[in-house]
Amino acid sequence: MPRSASLRITESPQGFAQARDFTRRTLGRWALGDRGDDAALVVTELATNAVLHAVARPGADQTGVWLKLTLRRAHLVCAVTDQSDSPPVCPRTDGALEVHGRGLRIVEALSEHWGWTLSPAGKTVWAMLPALPRPTPSAWHGLT
């Protein structure tokens, strides 16, 4: 049975800090504290994109940006929903010192899968992180 937890993210630096803290606390309760840093970074990138780039649709009856964490058998799903129906864009960043445009590349690097879907509320951008610990190199010694 999947476990889930949700949080409305306020559109402020404090909102992003709350989302990171919520993510770490939730994963700690689910005995996934070792995944907290990666999940907090993914959540921050998804939430930042939602706040910066999402424009509310006219007539939308729900407001804000929502974070939902869902623990499945082998994956943690981090999903951020906003009111926009515009797809996420993964811009090309060629400059090594570019500050913007790296969020979805970070999400892609830390997750096994990511994507997005439309919903009546707008769109949800999600990332699946492995919930099981990765084998350490010392554990590989017994495999040879």
Side-chain angles (χ1 to χ4, degrees), residues 47-55 82 84 86 89 100-101 123:
T48 301
N49 285 347
V51 168
L52 290 178
H53 302 295
V55 177
D82 62 56
S84 173
S86 299
V89 177
H100 299 288
K123 77 169 172 300

Side-chain angles (χ1 to χ4, degrees), residues 26-48:
T26 300
L27 296 187
R29 284 193 311 270
W30 293 347
L32 292 173
D34 62 323
R35 312 308 280 155
D37 289 342
D38 286 353
L41 184 53
V42 166
V43 163
T44 300
E45 294 300 335
L46 295 179
T48 301

Side-chain angles (χ1 to χ4, degrees), residues 3-7 22 43 66-70 77-81:
R3 292 187 248 177
S4 66
S6 299
L7 174 75
F22 173 79
V43 163
W66 285 89
L67 164 64
K68 183 174 184 180
L69 302 173
T70 304
V77 180
C78 304
V80 174
T81 300

